[in-house]
């Protein structure tokens, strides 16, 4: 890669010459936690169990790329959520979760330019389905938290539910889902944009035509073609005419 240069205050680019045309792309894929939204949902759920500090430390290490086995790190975190109720998760959604600045504006601009939208998250369907519906996202992939039935119904078991595509949406699954969606749309991956902030976003960012780091970990900023280090997600539109 070329040496990164500051295109505008808080906006760094490398290996591209703006302005690019947004309409030349056909798909934009987003991570959710700390990208489209302001929180790491697993950390906030853990707060209800009095285990936020422990879970957040694992999350931070995973996002920085210091834990290489993302699936194991997520299983460890989810196990610590056992006993949290659906009502407490509802509280996280209504009281703590907000869209990041510029998220709605960027999604709307992409849709207006004819792009399809994809949400791929190492988080949970409890939240991704609602963000999908709020923003009108076309495709999603994320993890399902297992909820007890019978005695103690409505509580998390500390496990996740396997899905038809696999067990956990990790970095490799994000890459696979981006490529599968490109194939579904009949486009090359070069016509896809991938936006994320953590190490588990790097596999999908590596295959996309344009990779975007949003307030990201150092390892991610270094490898992205666009790094938004200040301001909202819609700052990407400064690079895409």
């Amino acid at each position: 890669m070329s040496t990164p240069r500051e295109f505008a205050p808080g906006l760094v680019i490398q290996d591209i010459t703006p302005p690019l045309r947004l309409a030349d792309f056909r798909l934009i894929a987003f991570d959710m936690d700390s990208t489209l939204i302001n929180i790491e949902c697993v950390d906030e759920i853990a707060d209800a169990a009095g285990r936020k500090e422990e879970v957040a430390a694992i999350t931070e290490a995973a996002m920085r790329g210091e834990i290489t086995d993302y699936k194991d790190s997520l299983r460890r975190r989810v196990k610590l959520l056992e006993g949290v109720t659906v009502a407490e998760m509802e509280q996280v959604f209504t009281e703590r979760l907000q869209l990041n600045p510029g998220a709605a504006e960027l999604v709307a601009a992409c849709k207006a330019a004819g792009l399809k939208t994809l949400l791929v998250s190492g988080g949970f369907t409890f939240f991704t389905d609602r963000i999908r519906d709020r923003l009108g996202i076309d495709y999603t992939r994320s993890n399902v938290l297992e909820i007890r039935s019978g005695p103690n119904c409505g509580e998390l078991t500390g496990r996740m539910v396997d899905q038809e595509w696999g067990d956990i949406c990790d970095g490799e699954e994000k890459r696979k889902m981006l490529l599968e969606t490109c194939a579904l749309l009949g486009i090359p991956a070069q016509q896809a944009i991938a936006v994320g902030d953590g190490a588990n976003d790097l596999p999908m960012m590596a295959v996309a035509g344009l990779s975007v780091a949003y307030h990201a970990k150092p390892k991610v900023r270094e490898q992205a073609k666009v790094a938004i280090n200040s301001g909202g997600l819609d700052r990407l539109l400064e690079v895409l005419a």
Side-chain angles (χ1 to χ4, degrees):
M1 280 191 168
S2 62
T3 303
R5 66 181 178 87
E6 192 164 58
F7 176 68
L11 191 62
V12 175
I13 63 170
Q14 60 182 331
D15 289 341
I16 59 169
T17 304
L20 307 175
R21 292 188 61 229
L22 183 58
D24 287 339
F25 294 92
R26 296 283 308 282
L27 174 71
I28 185 164
F30 294 98
D31 168 53
M32 182 179 72
D33 295 72
S34 299
T35 300
L36 276 181
I37 65 173
N38 64 320
I39 61 172
E40 293 286 338
C41 291
V42 67
D43 297 355
E44 301 307 317
I45 299 169
D47 197 23
R51 294 168 178 159
K52 182 175 181 177
E53 187 174 340
E54 185 177 356
V55 169
I58 301 172
T59 300
E60 178 68 12
M63 293 303 100
R64 292 178 69 90
E66 295 162 4
I67 295 176
T68 54
D69 189 338
Y70 180 84
K71 289 187 178 185
D72 178 65
S73 82
L74 187 59
R75 288 190 186 100
R76 285 165 54 199
R77 285 176 282 165
V78 169
K79 185 165 181 55
L80 293 168
L81 306 182
E82 183 177 0
V84 173
T85 66
V86 170
E88 287 168 327
M89 290 200 295
E90 187 71 41
Q91 258 188 312
V92 170
F93 180 77
T94 57
E95 297 178 10
R96 304 191 186 191
L97 186 154
Q98 298 176 4
L99 293 176
N100 268 330
E105 291 81 357
L106 177 58
V107 170
C110 289
K111 291 166 75 73
L115 281 73
K116 293 294 185 181
T117 50
L118 167 64
L119 173 55
V120 274
S121 174
F124 313 112
T125 53
F126 186 90
F127 301 100
T128 56
D129 287 357
R130 296 166 184 224
I131 297 303
R132 173 199 66 200
D133 294 345
R134 181 182 293 185
L135 293 175
I137 297 227
D138 297 297
Y139 311 102
T140 62
R141 179 153 293 179
S142 57
N143 304 301
V144 178
L145 290 167
E146 185 178 67
I147 299 171
R148 284 195 179 99
S149 55
N152 299 318
C153 65
E155 289 185 358
L156 299 183
T157 66
R159 296 185 297 271
M160 288 169 284
V161 179
D162 288 355
Q163 300 178 72
E164 60 181 17
W165 47 261
D167 55 355
I168 290 175
C169 186
D170 61 353
E172 178 55 29
E173 188 60 38
K174 289 188 178 197
R175 184 191 72 86
K176 178 182 166 188
M177 182 58 178
L178 183 143
L179 293 174
E180 285 180 359
T181 307
C182 287
L184 178 69
L185 297 173
I187 63 170
Q190 282 299 113
Q191 287 188 289
I193 303 168
V195 187
D197 74 301
N200 63 326
D201 297 314
L202 288 172
M204 73 168 179
M205 292 170 70
V207 297
L210 183 64
S211 53
V212 181
Y214 178 70
H215 292 237
K217 306 304 180 191
K219 184 176 180 180
V220 182
R221 290 199 305 267
E222 290 165 8
Q223 296 185 44
K225 292 183 178 179
V226 178
I228 302 169
N229 300 326
S230 66
L233 274 165
D234 54 344
R235 293 206 67 193
L236 180 58
L237 300 174
E238 296 177 34
V239 179
L240 295 164

